Amino acid sequence: SGARGSRYRPLLPGFSPTLSSRDFVAALLAALRLEPATAAKPVADFALGVRRVFFSAGAMATLDELMHGSQADVAAILDRVRAYVARRRWVRATAAVSASLWLQRRIVARRRLAALALRSRALALSLPAARRWAGGARRRLLEHASASTLAAAERGRVERARLRAARAAAVAVQARARGRLARCRLLRESSEQSATTK
């Protein structure tokens, strides 16, 4: 394709010399509306090799017409070559942008995954400590509950003892009061009886 590029490049003056010979030949053949061979379409007008271009019968004649064409034909082909190159660059640029966006999303996803893995590792490491803490907290809670229960039982026992003592004191006071009343009544009755008998 290098020989073809150097052979036909002078026919297209003013065309960018920065384009490689392979790209120039591909652009020239596309501008001539020749169909390239692909994996899906193996039979076509031409196939680009590493260093050569392979033509089907009749495709070479189209290329030779360019050698003998007028300036108007050359200008039209030059416009089509430029359009092909611009389209090709646009496709490559959009593919590069899509690839860079995909790569950026992939990097962000990988970073998030790494952060998640780090968090899960930290959680896995802190889980036994959390279990120990929870077990200790449970023991402390049970001890507190047991202590509260014991304290409540003791308070109940003391209150019942105080209540029994108060009840016993009340019964004793009532018994004395009844005894006194009974003695007073008895003395009154006996004094009334002695007063009636005298």
Side-chain angles (χ1 to χ4, degrees):
S1 65
R4 295 280 173 209
S6 60
R7 181 176 175 191
Y8 292 106
R9 199 181 286 265
L11 295 175
L12 301 172
F15 194 75
S16 172
T18 59
L19 201 59
S20 71
S21 294
R22 181 180 173 82
D23 289 340
F24 175 76
V25 169
L28 179 64
L29 295 175
L32 292 171
R33 296 189 177 103
L34 296 176
E35 291 290 322
T38 60
K41 184 180 173 188
V43 178
D45 295 328
F46 73 95
L48 274 178
V50 176
R51 295 178 181 234
R52 295 178 185 236
V53 180
F54 301 96
F55 291 101
S56 64
M60 190 65 185
T62 306
L63 202 56
D64 285 336
E65 287 175 13
L66 177 61
M67 294 285 284
H68 308 298
S70 67
Q71 284 294 350
D73 293 339
V74 170
I77 290 172
L78 182 60
D79 288 342
R80 287 198 302 255
V81 167
R82 284 189 179 129
Y84 173 84
V85 169
R87 273 193 311 274
R88 184 88 172 188
R89 285 180 180 160
W90 174 256
V91 167
R92 285 181 181 168
T94 56
V97 168
S98 296
S100 67
L101 290 174
W102 175 84
L103 187 61
Q104 181 184 9
R105 285 192 302 268
R106 183 84 179 202
I107 289 170
V108 167
R110 186 164 286 227
R111 283 181 185 160
R112 287 181 181 163
L113 187 62
L116 184 63
L118 184 64
R119 284 189 200 122
S120 66
R121 253 184 266 130
L123 183 62
L125 291 174
S126 65
L127 192 59
R131 284 184 180 153
R132 283 192 301 274
W133 179 85
R138 191 177 300 121
R139 274 192 304 279
R140 286 189 297 277
L141 188 62
L142 288 174
E143 289 168 2
H144 179 69
S146 298
S148 296
T149 304
L150 288 174
E154 181 61 20
R155 281 193 305 272
R157 186 188 66 74
V158 167
E159 192 63 32
R160 282 191 298 277
R162 190 184 66 73
L163 187 60
R164 272 196 300 271
R167 188 178 296 149
V171 167
V173 166
Q174 283 176 350
R176 279 189 202 140
R178 271 198 250 59
R180 192 169 188 189
L181 277 174
R183 279 191 299 277
C184 286
R185 203 176 319 138
L186 187 59
L187 281 174
R188 210 176 330 148
E189 285 176 10
S190 73
S191 66
E192 281 176 13
Q193 237 180 10
S194 49
T196 44
T197 54
K198 282 193 191 182

